[in-house]
Amino acid sequence: MAGLAIAALFAGFIDAVVGGGGLIQIPALFNALPRELPATIFGTNKFSSVLGTSNAAWRYARRVQMPWRTTLPAAVAAFSCSYVGAMAVVWLPPAMLRPLILVMLIAAAAYTFWRRDFGAIHRPQHQGRREFAYALILGGAIGFYDGFFGPGTGSFLIFLFVRFFGFDFLHASAAAKVVNVATNLAALAFFIPHGHFLPMLALLMATCNVLGSFLGAHLALRHGSGFVRKTFLCVVSVFILKFAHDTFV
């Protein structure tokens, strides 16, 4: 239990800055509970994560001018598709996605390293119908992925908000938290009624996750986009190593 609590604390911190807490919590849960079904592991992880992510989203909304025109359509699409993704967990092995995720992570990291000004300035783009359409498409795709598998969702969201909507890393992180709350709630709408979560363990991990998210959001808001960008690159690099190991070793 202590190990899972520490994992949840660290996951909440990482999630609040750039996302990716699932990369910490999910392996920790699988290692600690080897006999549980994958759906139960994912449901427990989602319950823990949603409170921490909600806390981070609230803190960002108090300090950052939220891009609601983009964020809300993306959140609605993500909510709908995350539920479908959660249902797919029961039927399909998430490991099928690992090679594709690895390629996407490498591409995101390479692009961010190459474009040193990427996400440095907040210049919202695609006003009107194009923005709305992009938000629905990207929100839906990420929502399905988060419901189905999850690790790296916040990082993917941040990259996409910077790349397609011209946000800086701080605003992208703030928007990503709102969308991530929607995907977690949708997945839980499937996992909880079907009994795919461990209530007492989920509450313990959720408490630790909230504490971690409090610290992570505080540092991100204090140090701004530069801090978020550097953390993003560090976390994505760890993702690449992790997924490469799981795929090829």
Side-chain angles (χ1 to χ4, degrees):
M1 287 295 183
L4 289 176
I6 293 171
L9 181 71
F10 188 45
F13 173 82
I14 294 297
D15 248 346
V17 183
V18 292
L23 187 68
I24 301 166
Q25 284 195 161
I26 290 177
L29 283 163
F30 271 114
N31 289 334
L33 307 168
R35 297 185 179 180
E36 293 292 343
L37 294 172
T40 302
I41 296 295
F42 290 132
T44 303
N45 172 65
K46 292 296 181 189
F47 189 97
S48 170
S49 298
V50 72
L51 294 183
T53 306
S54 297
N55 175 66
W58 174 70
R59 288 182 60 79
Y60 277 113
R62 293 177 61 197
R63 298 278 299 278
V64 174
Q65 185 174 356
M66 295 291 290
W68 294 114
R69 184 181 301 215
T70 303
T71 305
L72 289 179
V76 171
F79 182 92
S80 302
C81 293
S82 181
Y83 187 88
V84 177
M87 290 191 295
V89 169
V90 179
W91 306 105
L92 297 172
M96 291 174 55
L97 286 179
R98 282 201 181 102
L100 176 60
I101 296 167
L102 179 59
V103 172
M104 292 169 62
L105 286 169
I106 292 172
Y111 189 89
T112 305
F113 271 117
W114 178 57
R115 291 279 304 275
R116 294 189 177 277
D117 61 338
F118 185 66
I121 301 174
H122 187 57
R123 294 173 178 166
Q125 302 169 1
H126 305 305
Q127 300 295 323
R129 293 181 180 177
R130 181 180 294 183
E131 178 184 20
F132 183 77
Y134 277 21
L136 289 179
I137 293 170
L138 297 177
I142 291 295
F144 178 85
Y145 168 73
D146 191 39
F148 180 66
F149 193 33
T153 295
S155 300
F156 280 130
L157 279 169
I158 289 172
F159 177 82
L160 293 173
F161 276 125
V162 175
R163 174 62 182 83
F164 288 97
F165 300 106
F167 295 175
D168 65 9
F169 271 94
L170 183 63
H171 285 80
S173 184
K177 299 301 167 288
V178 176
V179 178
N180 226 166
V181 169
T183 61
N184 286 338
L185 288 175
L188 286 173
F190 172 79
F191 287 131
I192 291 178
H194 289 82
H196 293 310
F197 84 118
L198 304 171
M200 298 306 296
L201 178 59
L203 284 171
L204 170 65
M205 294 182 69
T207 302
C208 296
N209 199 284
V210 169
L211 292 175
S213 75
F214 182 89
L215 178 58
H218 173 75
L219 290 177
L221 289 166
R222 181 176 180 180
H223 297 290
S225 289
F227 172 76
V228 177
R229 182 182 188 275
K230 291 175 183 176
T231 308
F232 172 84
L233 288 171
C234 290
V235 170
V236 170
S237 297
V238 173
F239 282 177
I240 291 171
L241 294 175
K242 169 64 176 172
F243 279 102
H245 178 271
D246 292 345
T247 302
F248 300 113
V249 177

